[in-house]
Amino acid sequence: MLTKMQEYHEKVKQFLPGGVHYNFNLPWEESPLHFVKTQDSRVFDMDGNEYLDLYARFGAMILGHGNKVYQDALKAAIDRVLCVSHCDFDYEVLELIHSLVPSAEMIRFGLAGTEIVQNALRVARAYTGKNRFVRFEKHYHGNNDNIMGGKAVNADYPVPQDFAGDTYGTSGRAADCMESQSFLIPWNDEAALEKLLAAHGDEIAAVITEPMCVNGGSVEPKPGYLQKMRALCDQYNVLLIFDEIITGFRVGLGGAQGHYGVTPDLTTFGKAIAGGGVPVSVLAGKKEVMSLLEAKKVIHAGTFNGYPLGLAAVKATLEILSQDNGAVYPKMQEKITAIQNILVQNAAKAGIPLIVQGLPGCAAYHCCEKPLESPSEYSFDILTKDIILNTCMQKHGILVSSMSRLYSNISLTDDDVAWFEKHSVGALQDAAAILEDIC
Amino acid sequence: MSKQEIIDFMIKLIAEVAEEPIEDLDENTSFFKIGVSSIDALKIMNKIRKQLQVDINPVAMFEFKTIGEMSDYLLECIEEAE
């Protein structure tokens, strides 16, 4: 017998392909939860189940659900200046971002991460006069044809190609767009980058990277790796782009670039920068590079770029996060670290090998003995176990983001930590039984 | 092992894991259409690997989405191994 939510999902599926708002190439049916109520770190579905929300809308939700200051700011913008292209708090938002982010000498706004990454690449091509960009295995920079999935088969000329079984592979990809525009190499591998730039630096406009590879399992850069990347880009007249759509304002006010002390030429932001309620993406960068937009040599268009509701959300979010010099961050990190430690302890009790890696705020667990040193080590076997535990946690009232990320928010409390401690026990026991059955 | 034997094995396996009536399944059955969950899919992959003793590519279900397509792929794997 179907529950109320399952019945509703069947109705939705009649008109919404797969019953979901997004999909990748995964061979199973998605069963999304439909929510009716949210508050702080908790969400409630149509069947009356309560969850601790560490999914946080793919990491966008950083303030907690129902933050009054944030919601009042959005309501005020709706009441006063909803449908105009420029409004009377544009400067305050720009100045805030500039003051917090090392690379943000100038700033433009968009809506989606996918689109702003493409704008960053366009600017980089225009600035350098070169066509190709370099990206890294298991990193994710949006769902545009030229930058998603693929595998390089020739190490001497590592252009990505489609391959069977690629989670990020898609039918309908424009012919040759990956091969003609990009190179794809392993991350955390200085030698691979140095070799590629030495051989093909005259073709390469940009290197784009997640500064911490959240999409590849929340793998941190090896000490000195980002510094070396910065130096190599300078040496070969290549722009360095940090994709901070996940890490921005989640690992700290200055993003991952502030944490690791490496300043890129261009940075993309999204998700948490607008608090999670509305979409805003940001392209920030050096004045010398961004001036191509001022000179109108590079087009950056969009009906809703810089829309007041979005900028009101950015303003409120950054004001909340930066209050008292970012005092919310240590508190948030303390709570999520406590949750991470409980997960490791309870997994050991359940007999599941498990580690947590990555900066608190966008760390991930993996069901294996030791942390991944490279995203390329994130094997299907580990992914399988991670997904099983993710599914079991959902059944026990804990939502974890894909595939195993533990996204924090500033409203986390000791009650939430206690909820996790209590509910993770059953989830881990269930996962242990399934793993014993299938592995 | 013949293709029909593999199809019969797959139907029995899917019926057991996805709790589907065996008479509703044939080689045209799509894993997606019968509502195979992520855990079901992973169980199916691992049981195939164990019970048929084939070292199949773990991402096969991303590519071969029906019982018939998967059976063709498994037959290839078994023949290669012999």
Side-chain angles (χ1 to χ4, degrees):
Chain A
M1 185 177 161
L2 298 180
T3 68
K4 182 180 171 188
M5 183 163 62
Q6 286 167 334
E7 276 182 10
Y8 187 75
H9 177 58
E10 292 303 313
K11 283 167 60 181
V12 169
K13 272 169 61 179
Q14 296 174 84
F15 305 113
L16 185 68
V20 289
H21 294 302
Y22 36 75
N23 68 279
F24 290 100
N25 183 23
L26 295 166
W28 50 72
E29 183 173 8
E30 315 278 353
S31 301
L33 302 173
H34 291 265
F35 296 105
V36 295
K37 192 173 77 167
T38 62
Q39 187 59 48
D40 301 324
S41 298
R42 305 295 175 92
V43 291
F44 303 82
D45 72 21
M46 288 181 78
D47 290 336
N49 301 307
E50 180 177 359
Y51 305 86
L52 173 62
D53 185 9
L54 304 178
Y55 183 103
R57 197 164 186 176
F58 294 106
M61 192 279 291
I62 194 165
L63 301 178
H65 296 286
N67 183 294
K68 189 167 185 326
V69 174
Y70 174 74
Q71 297 196 172
D72 284 350
L74 266 61
K75 287 171 189 165
I78 289 171
D79 288 343
R80 201 166 64 79
V81 281
L82 186 59
C83 299
V84 296
S85 291
H86 293 265
C87 70
D88 61 352
F89 45 86
D90 288 355
Y91 174 78
E92 287 74 8
V93 180
L94 292 160
E95 205 280 331
L96 255 174
I97 298 171
H98 169 72
S99 70
L100 297 171
V101 178
S103 66
E105 292 178 12
M106 297 192 90
I107 297 136
R108 275 280 178 91
F109 298 100
L111 290 178
T114 293
E115 85 184 58
I116 214 71
V117 163
Q118 295 300 316
N119 286 116
L121 294 174
R122 183 185 285 167
V123 169
R125 287 188 178 108
Y127 184 78
T128 61
K130 298 185 278 186
N131 182 57
R132 285 185 182 273
F133 61 90
V134 178
R135 64 187 172 97
F136 298 95
E137 291 173 3
K138 303 276 176 85
H139 288 228
Y140 180 75
H141 306 290
N143 80 112
N144 225 54
D145 280 2
N146 65 348
I147 203 164
M148 180 178 63
K151 183 164 69 177
V153 288
N154 179 356
D156 291 328
Y157 199 67
V159 295
Q161 300 169 7
D162 279 307
F163 67 98
D166 185 1
T167 310
Y168 294 110
T170 181
S171 293
R173 193 196 298 273
D176 203 35
C177 66
M178 286 198 297
E179 293 88 336
S180 65
Q181 294 181 25
S182 61
F183 290 115
L184 178 66
I185 59 174
W187 193 68
N188 252 350
D189 184 339
E190 285 183 15
L193 181 60
E194 189 157 18
K195 180 183 165 193
L196 180 66
L197 287 172
H200 302 290
D202 58 344
E203 299 176 58
I204 296 168
V207 170
I208 184 165
T209 184
E210 295 179 58
M212 175 175 103
C213 185
V214 181
N215 282 289
S218 294
V219 181
E220 287 203 69
K222 288 178 181 169
Y225 178 63
L226 293 178
Q227 287 80 356
K228 180 71 174 179
M229 190 183 281
R230 172 73 274 178
L232 286 169
C233 285
D234 290 342
Q235 183 181 343
Y236 290 98
N237 184 31
V238 169
L239 292 193
L240 177 59
I241 304 171
F242 276 4
D243 182 337
E244 293 231 43
I245 285 168
I246 294 177
T247 51
F249 302 98
R250 180 158 276 291
V251 300
L253 286 171
Q257 60 194 265
H259 179 83
Y260 294 120
V262 175
T263 303
D265 299 298
L266 293 168
T267 308
T268 56
F269 293 101
K271 297 190 192 292
I273 195 170
V278 293
V280 175
S281 58
V282 165
L283 174 61
K286 285 183 177 167
K287 188 168 185 178
E288 185 185 346
V289 180
M290 297 290 283
S291 65
L292 289 170
L293 298 165
E294 190 173 11
K296 301 185 180 176
K297 289 186 176 171
V298 175
I299 288 177
H300 171 229
T303 301
F304 289 100
N305 291 353
Y307 68 117
L309 187 59
L311 294 202
V314 175
K315 182 170 180 284
T317 301
L318 300 191
E319 284 174 350
I320 292 165
L321 294 177
S322 62
Q323 202 169 17
D324 299 327
N325 202 25
V328 291
Y329 284 96
K331 180 173 166 281
M332 175 171 75
Q333 284 160 356
E334 177 202 323
K335 303 300 177 210
I336 197 68
T337 301
I339 283 171
Q340 292 170 188
N341 290 340
I342 288 165
L343 179 60
V344 172
Q345 288 158 13
N346 286 349
K349 286 178 195 164
I352 299 176
L354 183 143
I355 57 93
V356 176
Q357 68 181 96
L359 297 174
C362 43
Y365 69 77
H366 298 304
C367 297
C368 56
E369 300 280 357
K370 57 179 187 173
L372 311 177
E373 290 186 10
S374 160
S376 307
E377 294 175 6
Y378 197 12
S379 67
F380 189 82
D381 282 342
I382 297 172
L383 182 65
T384 294
K385 294 170 186 169
D386 290 356
I387 291 171
I388 287 168
L389 179 54
N390 178 319
T391 308
C392 292
M393 288 217 266
Q394 179 176 313
K395 284 183 181 156
H396 285 265
I398 299 165
L399 301 182
V400 174
S401 195
S402 53
M403 298 296 183
S404 61
R405 289 171 225 161
L406 305 164
Y407 285 132
S408 55
N409 74 81
I410 64 168
S411 77
L412 280 172
T413 64
D414 289 338
D415 281 349
D416 296 319
V417 176
W419 174 282
F420 187 88
E421 182 157 31
K422 179 180 173 192
H423 291 257
S424 61
V425 173
L428 285 155
Q429 285 170 349
D430 285 359
I434 294 169
L435 291 171
E436 193 179 331
D437 181 31
I438 72 169
C439 291
Chain B
M1 207 172 186
S2 69
K3 185 180 172 189
Q4 191 55 51
E5 285 172 324
I6 296 175
I7 290 172
D8 292 343
F9 164 80
M10 285 295 298
I11 287 174
K12 195 175 162 205
L13 177 59
I14 304 291
E16 177 196 322
V17 173
E19 296 178 354
E20 287 284 323
I22 204 160
E23 57 273 18
D24 290 354
L25 304 176
D26 59 32
E27 65 181 295
N28 297 315
T29 301
S30 157
F31 303 126
F32 182 77
K33 291 286 181 197
I34 59 171
V36 170
S37 71
S38 56
I39 287 182
D40 290 344
L42 298 167
K43 275 184 184 174
I44 291 164
M45 291 304 300
N46 281 282
K47 282 179 188 288
I48 290 171
R49 293 174 91 176
K50 265 188 189 172
Q51 293 178 26
L52 294 186
Q53 295 286 300
V54 285
D55 188 21
I56 56 170
N57 183 342
V59 294
M61 275 186 81
F62 290 71
E63 196 62 20
F64 309 108
K65 295 186 170 87
T66 68
I67 288 175
E69 288 171 6
M70 180 65 88
S71 299
D72 284 336
Y73 171 69
L74 290 172
L75 186 61
E76 271 178 42
C77 292
I78 290 167
E79 285 174 352
E80 271 177 25
E82 284 171 355

